Amino acid sequence: PDLQGMHSERAEIIYLCIVGTVATVLNLVVFCRLIRQSRTPTARTSFTSGPYNISSFTLFKLNLCITDFLILLIHTFGKILWLHVYWWPWGDTACRIYQFLSIFSFYSNSNVIVAIGVDRLKVVYTSHIQGAASVRRVRTMLGIAWFLAAACSMPQLFLFKVHNVNDNPQCASIFAVHNASEELSRAAIAYEIFHQVAVFWIPFVILTVSYLMIVLKLIHFTFKPVSRVPIPKASTSVSSTTRLLNILDAKRPESYHFQTNGSIALEPLARSNSVLTESTGLSVRAQKKKVSTGSILGKFSKTNIICTLHADAKGVPLWRKQLRSRVFLTALIVVVAHVAMWAPYNFYSTLRLVNHDWHNSLIEYGMILEDLIVMNSLVNPILYSFPCRV
């Protein structure tokens, strides 16, 4: 390389060393902190085996932290080593495994971010407190995210191998070396399109649609408020239920949708066989089987009533409160940071498929945009290191 190229590569090595080291330390600190906060205080807890009491959003943070570790330890430090020596000394098998793990780190990071966005959408469109069900859902989503990352990374095992270039072994794709074949050139373009779409554009579309749906939900609530009737504070006594039914008797809609902590949100619902309960937040629908007498306080003749904690005492829906929660805001900031730092390089890479001349005119900025993705692994632990309530 020429003198200017050597200076730029030296600067890139210094930048990657600083960012990679700081980001690795931050992620390690945050990871240990998340594990420590997740331990069950009343049980003997092993660091490796648990048991752990992990919330749904903590699961997301732990998995995102792991993907950042992969990007830093495999891609970042691997690139530093290659820029320093300019050849691959570890053989063909290590080359294939390295390329697989390197691209796997990016797929897994992007997929976990998508899972966070989809989970926030599910929370907003769910009208009751989910509890343990949310943890099970998040585990399923994360399992799918890791599986898809591995599946999309598999081609790397077959497309990369060690080539001798000017008597120096290089870990490169078959497209980069054997570019004379027309079939390989078409295959290279097809694989590039697949990679760009799978690692960024599909996740970007899913995240955009998810948050647009959240905005639409917010707009719908803003222009269609729910009417409320104040009632005495709920209790499990028959007298409080009687007073509640007297209020509903004066209104007599087809059915009511309300909570029992200080106000009734009167909203017509579809007719269904339901019972009145004063639960802590879960909708209870009547089944043709024996139900605990402690949970059923009465029926309201022909009126179907569903009691669920959809809103607080002021009538604000739970999903609206979720939008203001630290968990939701943290998730939103993490998603925005991911898109902001990943989009420039992916726009640049996609430009090569659209207009090759424009791509070549920006080629000197390509490495800078690629290294911006590494910066995201440093920013993430700073964004979600603050404790959040779920």
Side-chain angles (χ1 to χ4, degrees):
D2 57 17
L3 185 60
Q4 183 179 359
M6 292 179 62
H7 286 315
S8 63
E9 288 163 3
R10 189 172 301 168
E12 186 178 7
I13 290 174
I14 295 173
Y15 165 81
L16 291 176
C17 285
I18 294 174
V19 173
T21 303
V22 174
T24 301
V25 172
L26 282 177
N27 277 280
L28 183 61
V29 170
V30 171
F31 183 82
C32 293
R33 178 181 178 183
L34 291 173
I35 291 294
R36 185 172 62 252
Q37 291 176 347
S38 303
R39 291 186 296 182
T40 305
T42 57
R44 289 182 300 174
T45 304
S46 167
F47 181 84
T48 56
S49 60
Y52 295 113
N53 181 25
I54 300 180
S55 67
S56 58
F57 194 63
T58 301
L59 274 175
F60 278 130
K61 292 190 287 186
L62 282 171
N63 281 265
L64 191 59
C65 195
I66 292 172
T67 63
D68 285 330
F69 271 130
L70 292 175
I71 291 175
L72 294 167
L73 299 179
I74 298 174
H75 170 78
T76 304
F77 291 114
K79 186 176 181 179
I80 291 172
L81 185 60
W82 181 81
L83 287 172
H84 180 68
V85 299
Y86 265 112
W87 63 287
W88 183 263
W90 293 290
D92 189 74
T93 301
C95 167
R96 297 172 188 267
I97 294 175
Y98 168 77
Q99 293 295 341
F100 168 82
L101 292 176
S102 180
I103 203 70
F104 174 75
S105 65
F106 291 107
Y107 278 119
S108 58
N109 187 279
S110 186
N111 290 351
V112 170
I113 292 292
V114 170
I116 291 175
V118 173
D119 180 72
R120 294 300 94 187
L121 176 66
K122 178 67 170 63
V123 169
V124 168
Y125 276 81
T126 299
S127 57
H128 58 269
I129 300 173
Q130 301 172 76
S134 64
V135 177
R136 291 193 295 269
R137 182 186 69 248
V138 167
R139 286 175 177 170
T140 302
M141 294 171 64
L142 289 172
I144 295 173
W146 285 102
F147 173 79
L148 290 177
C152 292
S153 305
M154 288 298 292
Q156 298 287 102
L157 295 173
F158 307 99
L159 298 178
F160 280 80
K161 64 179 183 178
V162 173
H163 303 272
N164 284 318
V165 180
N166 298 326
D167 295 329
N168 288 324
Q170 298 290 343
C171 180
S173 71
I174 59 176
F175 306 129
V177 177
H178 304 289
N179 53 8
S181 170
E182 185 177 349
E183 292 184 359
L184 281 177
S185 297
R186 288 197 297 265
I189 294 175
Y191 182 66
E192 180 70 16
I193 293 174
F194 163 77
H195 171 66
Q196 293 293 329
V197 170
V199 79
F200 179 76
W201 291 110
I202 289 180
F204 176 73
V205 170
I206 294 175
L207 290 171
T208 302
V209 172
S210 297
Y211 280 93
L212 280 177
M213 292 179 68
I214 292 174
V215 171
L216 290 175
K217 178 81 171 180
L218 181 60
I219 293 174
H220 179 267
F221 173 80
T222 302
F223 289 98
K224 190 179 179 180
V226 179
S227 60
R228 294 178 295 277
V229 176
I231 62 170
K233 186 176 179 180
S235 68
T236 56
S237 66
V238 177
S239 60
S240 65
T241 305
T242 303
R243 291 195 299 272
L244 175 61
L245 294 179
N246 288 336
I247 295 174
L248 294 177
D249 192 30
K251 296 289 181 181
R252 283 190 178 275
E254 280 296 312
S255 61
Y256 296 95
H257 172 129
F258 67 97
Q259 85 286 348
T260 60
N261 63 348
S263 65
I264 302 175
L266 299 175
E267 182 178 4
L269 299 175
R271 183 178 294 276
S272 61
N273 292 325
S274 305
V275 295
L276 171 64
T277 69
E278 292 187 343
S279 64
T280 59
L282 298 178
S283 298
V284 180
R285 300 182 183 276
Q287 304 288 336
K288 291 185 178 180
K289 60 183 180 180
K290 185 176 179 181
V291 185
S292 172
T293 56
S295 63
I296 301 179
L297 301 180
K299 286 188 177 181
F300 184 69
S301 61
K302 297 181 180 180
T303 302
N304 301 309
I305 301 172
I306 301 175
C307 176
T308 180
L309 191 60
H310 288 252
D312 62 7
K314 297 181 180 180
V316 180
L318 286 182
W319 64 264
R320 183 74 178 270
K321 297 186 71 176
Q322 282 280 354
L323 292 179
R324 305 172 186 172
S325 69
R326 187 176 294 177
V327 171
F328 190 92
L329 294 177
T330 302
L332 178 60
I333 294 173
V334 168
V335 169
V336 170
H338 173 87
V339 173
M341 295 186 180
W342 283 52
Y345 178 74
N346 283 279
F347 274 105
Y348 165 77
S349 297
T350 306
L351 186 62
R352 185 169 70 89
L353 304 173
V354 178
N355 191 308
H356 198 71
D357 293 334
W358 289 357
H359 178 270
N360 288 337
S361 66
L362 300 172
I363 197 168
E364 58 182 308
Y365 304 105
M367 292 300 178
I368 298 175
L369 298 179
E370 182 181 4
D371 294 339
L372 185 62
I373 296 177
V374 179
M375 179 65 72
N376 185 227
S377 296
L378 184 149
V379 172
N380 278 338
I382 298 175
L383 295 179
Y384 56 69
S385 61
F386 300 99
C388 297
R389 298 177 184 177
V390 181

